[in-house]
Amino acid sequence: MEDVRFADEEEASDTLPDGFEPYVKEWFNEQFPGLSPPQRYSFDLIHDDENSLVCAPTGSGKTLSAFLSALNELFARGRRGELEDEIQVLYISPLRALSNDISRNLEDPLEGIREKAEEMGYDVPEIRSAVRTGDTTDNEKRKMRESPPHIMITTPESLGIIINSPKFRENFRNVEYTIIDEIHSLCENKRGVHLSLSMERLQEMANTDITRIGLSATQAPIDEIAKYLVGYEEDAATWQEETERGDEVTVSSPASEFESRGCTIVDVAASKEIDLETVSPVDDLIYTPKDEVREAMYEEMHDLIQEHESTIIFTNTRSATERVVNNLKDTYPESYGDNIGAHHSSMSREKRLNVEEKLKQGEMKVGVTSTSLELGVDIGTVELVLQLGSPKGVARGIQRVGRSGHQIGEKAKGKMIVTDRDDAMECSVLTKCAKEDNLDRIRMPTRCLDVLAQHVVGMACNHKWGVDHALNVVKRSYNYVDLDMDDWETVLKYLAGEYELEDQNVYRKIWRNNGFFGRSGGKTRMIYMTNIGTIPDESGYTVEDRASGDPVGDLDEEFLDRLTKGDIFTLGGKTFEFRYARGMKVYVDSKPNAKPTVPSWYSERLPLSFDLGTRIGEFREQVAEQLEMGAGEESIVDWIKHNYYLDDNTAQAIYSYIEEQYRFMGQVSDTEDIIVERYIDEENRQNLIFQTIYGRRVHDALSRVLANILQRRLSANIGIIVDDNGFILVTPRRPVDVGGLLTELKDTDIEEELTEAVKKTELMKRRFRHVAGRSLMILRNYQGDSKTVGQQQMKGHFLISAIRNRYGDDFPMVKETYREIMEDAMDIHHAEQVVDGLREGDKSVEVKKSDVPSPFSHGLILQGSSDVMRVEDKQERLEQLHEQVMERIGE
């Protein structure tokens, strides 16, 4: 079988598999008019025990397409008297709420099929399902041990606990199917890495060859996600193994080659039509007063809401979610009361569930959310999705709009509402990509040493292992197939206590000797079971004025990650300079009227994807080419309207934006032709404005590298302002040879320079705490006591200092911290790709000096002062900058 293949039309069937039980067929045919697109392929594939990744829109019968073949097999075994009291189907969901939904939704087919079987004269047993999550009570767990369900519904974290439960893991010995729902939301982060290792450990302990089924919304690269789902197996020709049956130890030599287990992809994501358009509430996004834009936006939203039975509104921040709810209620009190609700991650679980239930029952007309309703929690029928501003990624846009039109055959319907020119261009390109199924690609973390350490401890708690065989099991995971032998050795060395850290209360978790390892000490299992998982504890930080000692407010952890010494930020309407952080306190100096370098929304807003940024650059280039050829306004606007899905207001706004930039600069910056604009601001500071459009994660990496180089050159602090559309290096007003700076960038090892740049930052300290927690160096819970985030942070501070003094940055968990920052928090791979393009001449840079910033720079410049300027003042400043541009180009 091929490693990964796509199901073709010849494999589709409009009928249920011949091998299905008669009563299963009868039940299905009575319930449904026919097979939905994913079911036409998946029923046969899963019935034939083929690993399958089903990529289909929400509401397309995707869940039943995964379950029905497994249910048929359970009922068939029960009819033959071969169904044991053990888990045979494992369903894994990223959300507890989604797990509960699936449990409720399984009740109908389980009861319906059994009733139909009895009606037709077949004797079948009850097929039991149960949910095992962090919300499961001890009494419910006891019942599961006494009478194991045939179908277990759980989360990645609970699965990690279950496979280490001595009394319960035996129930997995004959598991036949695993179903991973919303797999795209898991595989791009460390929860997915953790799940991948759990799956390999589950396969290792099972007597069966588990059939793996993944369910995904639209996502790319879908073939890599398929490989993640199924993992790898050793090439049988490259290794041999022996088994010591007495103590469950398997000894094998390291496999030299691994091959994918094989997977068939059912990709019918594009089969559901999307009705999607970008709209602007006003025809002038520059000079229309902001209160008029706001009023027009809410009027547009209100009209659209009234035209539909139910609507979901997506914003890009939690604060914006609350603001939209309040403004709609205040503006239209007769239309919105209890029939509108907010839903976001900062709300209590009870409040979120209340909103979900009211939406599902049709008691709430409008739900407003940031990201928490993206995944497939059952909220009933939604007719319309409104997106305020850009969702920053094509797949995310499709996922959000896909919350509407859940009835089979219905269209997903959405409107993207924009209120500035950058968003207008971004959303218009995103909408075209979404309509044409041109997706941005996710990147899955690999070789994460902290998650590896946690699982090795879990493996040791179960039984004694041969080191080489354990390595083979680990390398079957997609995320570790390329694990470096040196990294494997250093992780074992750390866990075995061979680094001297006992004085830091870091003790060995395993013993190893003569090619074997196992659990060290009776408390190791308790430590593992109470500290499992990858999601770090987070908390707010108190900000204190150093001069007065007074508290001035609070910051969240993600925002603090962004700060470096000397950064200016706004809190409570005032500006402060960040000095340092200790424990849970942030110490600052008051800096009245200073220009912020980090905007308050930074930690909340999603970053633009690199692929979408590249397509925006291509769009800019296409419009610029028409301008260079002398095409007129009407011709270009018509071209935009013909090729993109937007209204007249948006098309006109985009044309004006690019045309003004072209006339002012003589060229339009894109991802290949980059402009660096040198501008002296009103505070007599030099702003080197890089007009790139690679997304904030790439810009974060590039700006830190360049700032580090420039800091050495000037022996001065360099301010950084980062956005999705570019970045600014803020320097003292001294001569800067930008060409020489870029030459040095091209000669630089980007990874080494970025390592140096983040070495002493708050980002490094906090990410190390996360890594140390995952790798069980810092225990969040121990013998019933829980460490606060502040205690964990202080422990991490002392621990990383001790490690660096003794072992440098090669210590595995310090090394992992750098990897996480560079690959997960930032995007070093695409940053290196940009620098490679500069080295090879595929990308060009032109430096322009101007006393008036160009239109493409206005958003970046205003971003720095947006927290201290009133909306009216910001609007006035934007108009001033625009008027200066128009005056310069003669209008």
Side-chain angles (χ1 to χ4, degrees), residues 823-890:
E823 297 184 9
D824 302 347
M826 301 179 197
D827 186 353
I828 190 173
H829 298 291
H830 282 125
E832 289 175 327
Q833 184 177 317
V834 171
V835 176
D836 284 343
L838 293 172
R839 289 187 188 114
E840 295 164 10
D842 297 330
K843 299 182 187 297
S844 65
V845 178
E846 186 162 349
V847 182
K848 303 265 189 175
K849 185 176 181 180
S850 177
D851 57 343
V852 175
S854 71
F856 280 7
S857 297
H858 294 176
L860 266 167
I861 289 169
L862 283 172
Q863 175 191 289
S865 53
S866 62
D867 290 330
V868 288
M869 296 177 88
R870 294 180 307 147
V871 172
E872 295 83 359
D873 294 337
K874 182 181 177 184
Q875 172 69 15
E876 183 179 340
R877 178 64 176 142
L878 180 61
E879 290 179 10
Q880 288 173 354
L881 290 169
H882 188 260
E883 285 168 359
Q884 290 172 350
V885 167
M886 301 309 287
E887 185 178 318
R888 189 62 58 87
I889 62 179

Coordinates of all heavy atoms in Angstrom, one line a residue, residues 823-890:
E823 N 10.5 28.0 16.8 CA 9.6 27.2 15.9 C 8.1 27.3 16.1 O 7.3 27.3 15.2 CB 10.0 25.8 15.8 CG 11.4 25.5 15.3 CD 11.8 24.0 15.2 OE1 10.8 23.2 15.4 OE2 12.9 23.7 15.0
D824 N 7.8 27.5 17.4 CA 6.4 27.5 17.8 C 5.9 28.9 18.0 O 4.8 29.3 17.5 CB 6.1 26.6 19.0 CG 6.5 25.2 18.8 OD1 6.8 24.8 17.7 OD2 6.6 24.5 19.8
A825 N 6.6 29.7 18.9 CA 6.2 31.1 19.2 C 6.5 32.0 18.0 O 5.7 32.8 17.6 CB 6.9 31.6 20.4
M826 N 7.7 31.8 17.4 CA 8.1 32.5 16.2 C 8.1 31.5 15.0 O 7.7 30.4 15.1 CB 9.5 33.1 16.4 CG 9.5 34.1 17.5 SD 11.2 34.8 17.7 CE 11.1 35.5 19.4
D827 N 8.6 32.0 13.9 CA 8.6 31.1 12.7 C 10.0 31.3 12.0 O 10.2 32.0 11.0 CB 7.5 31.6 11.7 CG 7.4 30.6 10.5 OD1 8.3 29.7 10.3 OD2 6.5 30.8 9.7
I828 N 11.0 30.6 12.7 CA 12.3 30.8 12.2 C 12.5 30.1 10.8 O 13.3 30.6 10.0 CB 13.4 30.2 13.2 CG1 14.8 30.6 12.8 CG2 13.2 28.7 13.3 CD1 15.8 30.2 13.8
H829 N 11.8 29.1 10.5 CA 12.0 28.4 9.2 C 11.6 29.4 8.0 O 12.4 29.4 7.0 CB 11.1 27.2 9.1 CG 11.5 26.1 10.2 ND1 12.7 25.5 10.1 CD2 10.8 25.7 11.3 CE1 12.7 24.6 11.2 NE2 11.6 24.8 11.9
H830 N 10.5 30.1 8.1 CA 10.2 31.0 7.1 C 11.0 32.3 7.1 O 11.3 32.9 6.1 CB 8.7 31.4 7.1 CG 7.8 30.3 6.6 ND1 6.8 29.8 7.2 CD2 7.8 29.7 5.3 CE1 6.2 28.8 6.5 NE2 6.8 28.8 5.3
A831 N 11.5 32.6 8.3 CA 12.4 33.7 8.4 C 13.7 33.4 7.7 O 14.3 34.2 7.0 CB 12.7 34.1 9.9
E832 N 14.2 32.2 7.9 CA 15.4 31.7 7.2 C 15.2 31.7 5.7 O 16.1 32.0 4.9 CB 15.9 30.4 7.7 CG 16.5 30.4 9.1 CD 16.8 29.1 9.7 OE1 16.1 28.1 9.3 OE2 17.8 29.0 10.4
Q833 N 14.0 31.3 5.3 CA 13.6 31.3 3.9 C 13.7 32.7 3.3 O 14.2 32.9 2.1 CB 12.2 30.7 3.7 CG 11.7 30.5 2.3 CD 10.3 29.9 2.2 OE1 10.0 29.0 3.0 NE2 9.5 30.4 1.4
V834 N 13.2 33.7 4.0 CA 13.3 35.1 3.5 C 14.8 35.5 3.4 O 15.1 36.1 2.4 CB 12.6 36.0 4.5 CG1 12.8 37.5 4.2 CG2 11.1 35.7 4.5
V835 N 15.6 35.2 4.4 CA 17.0 35.5 4.3 C 17.7 34.8 3.2 O 18.5 35.4 2.4 CB 17.7 35.3 5.7 CG1 19.2 35.6 5.5 CG2 17.1 36.1 6.7
D836 N 17.3 33.5 2.9 CA 17.9 32.8 1.8 C 17.5 33.5 0.5 O 18.3 33.6 -0.4 CB 17.4 31.4 1.8 CG 18.0 30.5 2.8 OD1 19.1 30.9 3.3 OD2 17.4 29.4 3.2
G837 N 16.3 34.0 0.4 CA 15.9 34.7 -0.8 C 16.7 36.0 -1.0 O 17.0 36.3 -2.2
L838 N 17.1 36.7 0.1 CA 18.0 37.8 0.0 C 19.4 37.4 -0.5 O 20.0 38.1 -1.3 CB 18.0 38.6 1.3 CG 16.7 39.2 1.8 CD1 16.9 39.7 3.2 CD2 16.4 40.4 0.9
R839 N 19.9 36.3 0.1 CA 21.2 35.9 -0.3 C 21.3 35.5 -1.8 O 22.3 35.8 -2.5 CB 21.6 34.6 0.5 CG 21.8 34.9 2.0 CD 22.4 33.6 2.7 NE 22.5 33.8 4.1 CZ 21.7 33.1 5.0 NH1 20.8 32.2 4.6 NH2 21.9 33.3 6.3
E840 N 20.2 34.8 -2.3 CA 20.3 34.3 -3.6 C 19.8 35.3 -4.7 O 19.8 35.0 -5.9 CB 19.4 33.0 -3.7 CG 20.0 31.9 -2.8 CD 18.9 30.8 -2.6 OE1 17.9 30.8 -3.2 OE2 19.2 29.9 -1.7
G841 N 19.3 36.5 -4.2 CA 18.9 37.5 -5.1 C 17.5 37.4 -5.6 O 17.0 38.1 -6.5
D842 N 16.7 36.4 -5.0 CA 15.3 36.3 -5.3 C 14.4 37.4 -4.7 O 13.3 37.6 -5.2 CB 14.8 34.9 -4.9 CG 15.5 33.7 -5.5 OD1 16.0 33.9 -6.7 OD2 15.7 32.7 -4.9
K843 N 15.0 38.0 -3.7 CA 14.2 39.1 -3.0 C 15.2 40.3 -3.1 O 16.4 40.2 -2.9 CB 13.9 38.7 -1.6 CG 12.9 37.5 -1.5 CD 12.6 37.3 0.0 CE 11.8 36.0 0.1 NZ 10.5 36.0 -0.5
S844 N 14.6 41.4 -3.3 CA 15.3 42.7 -3.4 C 14.9 43.6 -2.3 O 13.7 43.5 -1.8 CB 15.1 43.4 -4.7 OG 13.8 43.8 -4.9
V845 N 15.8 44.5 -1.8 CA 15.4 45.5 -0.8 C 15.9 46.9 -1.3 O 17.0 47.0 -1.8 CB 16.1 45.2 0.5 CG1 15.8 46.3 1.6 CG2 15.7 43.8 1.1
E846 N 15.0 47.8 -1.2 CA 15.3 49.2 -1.6 C 15.0 50.1 -0.4 O 14.0 50.0 0.2 CB 14.5 49.7 -2.8 CG 14.9 51.0 -3.3 CD 14.4 51.3 -4.7 OE1 13.9 50.4 -5.3 OE2 14.5 52.5 -5.1
V847 N 16.0 50.9 -0.1 CA 15.9 51.8 1.1 C 15.5 53.2 0.6 O 16.0 53.7 -0.3 CB 17.3 51.9 1.8 CG1 17.1 52.8 3.1 CG2 17.8 50.6 2.3
K848 N 14.4 53.7 1.2 CA 13.9 55.0 0.8 C 13.9 55.9 2.1 O 13.5 55.5 3.2 CB 12.4 54.8 0.3 CG 12.2 53.9 -0.8 CD 12.2 54.6 -2.1 CE 11.8 53.7 -3.3 NZ 11.7 54.4 -4.5
K849 N 14.2 57.1 1.8 CA 14.2 58.1 2.9 C 13.1 59.1 2.7 O 13.0 59.6 1.6 CB 15.6 58.8 3.0 CG 15.7 59.8 4.2 CD 17.1 60.4 4.3 CE 17.2 61.3 5.5 NZ 18.6 61.9 5.5
S850 N 12.3 59.4 3.7 CA 11.2 60.3 3.5 C 10.8 61.0 4.8 O 10.9 60.3 5.9 CB 10.0 59.5 3.0 OG 8.9 60.4 2.9
D851 N 10.5 62.3 4.7 CA 10.0 63.0 5.9 C 8.6 62.8 6.1 O 8.0 63.2 7.1 CB 10.3 64.5 5.8 CG 9.7 65.1 4.5 OD1 9.4 64.3 3.6 OD2 9.6 66.3 4.5
V852 N 7.9 62.1 5.1 CA 6.5 61.7 5.2 C 6.4 60.2 5.0 O 6.9 59.7 4.0 CB 5.6 62.5 4.2 CG1 4.2 62.0 4.2 CG2 5.7 64.0 4.4
P853 N 5.9 59.5 6.0 CA 5.8 58.0 5.8 C 4.8 57.7 4.7 O 3.7 58.4 4.5 CB 5.3 57.5 7.1 CG 4.6 58.7 7.8 CD 5.3 59.9 7.3
S854 N 5.0 56.6 3.9 CA 4.2 56.2 2.8 C 2.9 55.5 3.4 O 2.9 55.1 4.5 CB 4.9 55.2 1.9 OG 5.1 54.0 2.6
P855 N 1.9 55.4 2.5 CA 0.6 54.8 3.0 C 0.7 53.5 3.7 O 0.1 53.2 4.7 CB -0.2 54.8 1.7 CG 0.3 55.9 0.9 CD 1.8 56.0 1.2
F856 N 1.6 52.6 3.1 CA 1.7 51.3 3.7 C 2.3 51.3 5.1 O 2.3 50.3 5.8 CB 2.6 50.4 2.8 CG 1.8 49.8 1.6 CD1 0.5 50.2 1.3 CD2 2.4 48.8 0.8 CE1 -0.2 49.6 0.2 CE2 1.7 48.3 -0.3 CZ 0.4 48.7 -0.6
S857 N 2.9 52.4 5.5 CA 3.6 52.5 6.8 C 2.7 53.1 7.9 O 3.0 53.1 9.0 CB 4.8 53.4 6.7 OG 5.8 52.8 5.9
H858 N 1.5 53.7 7.4 CA 0.7 54.4 8.4 C 0.2 53.5 9.5 O 0.2 53.9 10.7 CB -0.5 55.1 7.6 CG -0.1 56.2 6.7 ND1 -0.9 56.8 5.9 CD2 1.2 56.7 6.5 CE1 -0.3 57.7 5.2 NE2 1.0 57.6 5.5
G859 N -0.3 52.3 9.2 CA -0.8 51.4 10.2 C 0.2 51.0 11.2 O 0.0 51.0 12.4
L860 N 1.5 50.8 10.8 CA 2.5 50.4 11.7 C 2.9 51.6 12.6 O 3.1 51.4 13.8 CB 3.8 50.0 10.9 CG 4.0 48.5 10.6 CD1 5.1 48.4 9.5 CD2 4.4 47.8 11.8
I861 N 2.9 52.8 12.0 CA 3.3 53.9 12.8 C 2.2 54.2 13.9 O 2.5 54.5 15.1 CB 3.5 55.2 11.9 CG1 4.8 55.0 11.1 CG2 3.6 56.5 12.7 CD1 5.0 56.0 10.0
L862 N 1.0 54.2 13.5 CA -0.1 54.4 14.4 C -0.3 53.3 15.4 O -0.8 53.6 16.5 CB -1.4 54.6 13.6 CG -1.6 55.9 12.9 CD1 -2.8 55.9 12.0 CD2 -1.7 57.1 13.9
Q863 N 0.2 52.1 15.1 CA 0.1 51.0 16.0 C 0.8 51.4 17.3 O 0.3 51.1 18.4 CB 0.6 49.8 15.5 CG 0.7 48.6 16.4 CD 1.5 47.4 15.9 OE1 1.0 46.8 15.0 NE2 2.6 47.2 16.5
G864 N 2.0 52.0 17.2 CA 2.8 52.3 18.4 C 2.1 53.2 19.3 O 2.3 53.2 20.5
S865 N 1.3 54.1 18.8 CA 0.6 55.1 19.6 C -0.9 54.9 19.9 O -1.6 55.7 20.5 CB 0.8 56.5 19.0 OG 0.4 56.6 17.7
S866 N -1.4 53.8 19.3 CA -2.8 53.5 19.4 C -3.4 53.4 20.8 O -4.5 53.6 21.1 CB -3.2 52.3 18.6 OG -2.5 51.1 19.1
D867 N -2.5 53.0 21.8 CA -3.0 52.8 23.1 C -3.1 54.1 23.9 O -3.8 54.1 24.9 CB -2.1 51.8 23.9 CG -2.2 50.4 23.3 OD1 -3.3 50.0 22.9 OD2 -1.2 49.7 23.4
V868 N -2.4 55.1 23.5 CA -2.4 56.4 24.3 C -3.2 57.4 23.5 O -3.5 58.5 24.1 CB -1.0 56.9 24.5 CG1 -0.3 56.0 25.6 CG2 -0.2 57.0 23.3
M869 N -3.6 57.2 22.3 CA -4.4 58.2 21.6 C -5.9 57.8 21.7 O -6.2 56.6 21.6 CB -4.0 58.2 20.1 CG -2.6 58.7 19.8 SD -2.2 58.6 18.1 CE -2.7 60.2 17.5
R870 N -6.7 58.8 21.8 CA -8.1 58.6 21.7 C -8.4 58.2 20.3 O -7.7 58.5 19.4 CB -8.9 59.8 22.1 CG -8.8 60.3 23.5 CD -9.6 61.5 23.8 NE -9.2 62.6 22.8 CZ -10.1 63.5 22.4 NH1 -11.4 63.4 22.7 NH2 -9.7 64.4 21.5
V871 N -9.5 57.5 20.1 CA -9.9 57.0 18.7 C -10.0 58.3 17.8 O -9.5 58.2 16.7 CB -11.2 56.3 18.8 CG1 -11.7 56.0 17.3 CG2 -11.1 55.0 19.5
E872 N -10.5 59.3 18.3 CA -10.6 60.6 17.5 C -9.3 61.1 17.1 O -9.1 61.5 16.0 CB -11.4 61.6 18.3 CG -12.9 61.3 18.5 CD -13.0 60.4 19.8 OE1 -12.0 60.1 20.4 OE2 -14.2 60.0 20.1
D873 N -8.3 61.1 18.1 CA -7.0 61.6 17.8 C -6.3 60.7 16.8 O -5.5 61.1 15.9 CB -6.2 61.7 19.1 CG -6.7 62.7 20.0 OD1 -7.4 63.6 19.6 OD2 -6.5 62.6 21.3
K874 N -6.5 59.4 16.9 CA -5.9 58.4 16.0 C -6.4 58.7 14.6 O -5.6 58.7 13.6 CB -6.1 57.0 16.5 CG -5.5 56.0 15.6 CD -5.8 54.5 16.0 CE -5.2 53.5 15.1 NZ -5.6 52.1 15.4
Q875 N -7.7 58.9 14.5 CA -8.3 59.2 13.2 C -7.7 60.5 12.6 O -7.4 60.5 11.5 CB -9.8 59.3 13.4 CG -10.6 59.8 12.2 CD -10.6 58.8 11.0 OE1 -10.3 57.6 11.3 NE2 -10.9 59.2 9.8
E876 N -7.6 61.5 13.5 CA -7.0 62.8 13.0 C -5.6 62.6 12.5 O -5.2 63.1 11.5 CB -7.1 63.8 14.2 CG -6.6 65.2 13.8 CD -6.7 66.1 15.0 OE1 -7.4 65.9 15.9 OE2 -6.0 67.2 14.9
R877 N -4.8 61.8 13.3 CA -3.4 61.5 12.9 C -3.4 60.8 11.5 O -2.5 61.1 10.7 CB -2.7 60.7 14.0 CG -1.3 60.4 13.7 CD -0.4 61.6 13.5 NE 1.0 61.3 13.4 CZ 1.8 61.9 12.6 NH1 1.4 63.0 11.9 NH2 3.1 61.6 12.5
L878 N -4.2 59.8 11.4 CA -4.3 59.1 10.1 C -4.6 60.0 9.0 O -4.0 59.9 7.9 CB -5.3 57.9 10.2 CG -5.5 57.1 9.0 CD1 -4.2 56.4 8.6 CD2 -6.6 56.0 9.2
E879 N -5.6 60.9 9.2 CA -6.0 61.8 8.2 C -4.8 62.8 7.8 O -4.6 63.1 6.7 CB -7.2 62.6 8.6 CG -8.5 61.8 8.6 CD -9.7 62.6 9.1 OE1 -9.6 63.8 9.2 OE2 -10.7 61.9 9.4
Q880 N -4.1 63.2 8.9 CA -3.0 64.1 8.6 C -1.9 63.4 7.8 O -1.4 64.0 6.8 CB -2.3 64.5 10.0 CG -3.2 65.5 10.8 CD -2.5 65.7 12.2 OE1 -1.6 65.1 12.6 NE2 -3.1 66.7 12.9
L881 N -1.6 62.2 8.1 CA -0.6 61.4 7.4 C -1.1 61.3 5.9 O -0.3 61.4 5.0 CB -0.3 60.1 8.0 CG 0.4 60.1 9.3 CD1 0.4 58.7 10.0 CD2 1.8 60.5 9.2
H882 N -2.3 61.0 5.7 CA -2.9 60.7 4.4 C -2.9 62.0 3.6 O -2.5 62.0 2.4 CB -4.3 60.2 4.5 CG -4.8 59.8 3.2 ND1 -5.7 60.5 2.4 CD2 -4.6 58.6 2.4 CE1 -6.0 59.9 1.3 NE2 -5.4 58.7 1.3
E883 N -3.2 63.2 4.3 CA -3.2 64.5 3.6 C -1.8 64.8 3.1 O -1.6 65.4 2.0 CB -3.8 65.5 4.5 CG -5.3 65.5 4.6 CD -5.8 66.3 5.8 OE1 -5.0 67.0 6.4 OE2 -7.0 66.3 6.0
Q884 N -0.8 64.5 4.0 CA 0.6 64.8 3.6 C 1.0 64.0 2.4 O 1.7 64.5 1.5 CB 1.5 64.5 4.8 CG 1.4 65.4 5.9 CD 2.2 65.0 7.2 OE1 2.7 63.9 7.2 NE2 2.3 65.9 8.1
V885 N 0.5 62.7 2.3 CA 0.8 61.9 1.2 C 0.2 62.5 -0.1 O 0.8 62.6 -1.2 CB 0.3 60.4 1.4 CG1 0.3 59.6 0.1 CG2 1.2 59.7 2.4
M886 N -1.1 62.8 0.0 CA -1.8 63.3 -1.1 C -1.3 64.7 -1.6 O -1.2 64.9 -2.8 CB -3.3 63.5 -0.8 CG -4.0 62.2 -0.3 SD -3.8 60.8 -1.5 CE -4.8 61.3 -2.9
E887 N -0.8 65.5 -0.7 CA -0.2 66.7 -1.1 C 1.1 66.5 -1.8 O 1.4 67.1 -2.8 CB 0.1 67.5 0.2 CG 0.6 68.9 0.0 CD 0.8 69.7 1.3 OE1 0.0 69.6 2.2 OE2 1.9 70.3 1.4
R888 N 1.9 65.5 -1.4 CA 3.1 65.1 -2.0 C 3.0 64.6 -3.4 O 3.8 64.8 -4.3 CB 3.9 64.1 -1.1 CG 5.3 63.9 -1.5 CD 6.2 65.1 -1.4 NE 6.2 65.7 0.0 CZ 7.0 65.3 1.0 NH1 7.9 64.4 0.7 NH2 6.9 65.9 2.1
I889 N 1.9 63.8 -3.6 CA 1.7 63.3 -5.0 C 0.8 64.2 -5.8 O 0.4 63.8 -6.9 CB 1.1 61.8 -4.9 CG1 -0.3 61.9 -4.2 CG2 2.0 60.9 -4.2 CD1 -1.0 60.5 -4.2
G890 N 0.5 65.4 -5.3 CA -0.1 66.4 -6.2 C -1.6 66.3 -6.2 O -2.2 66.7 -7.3

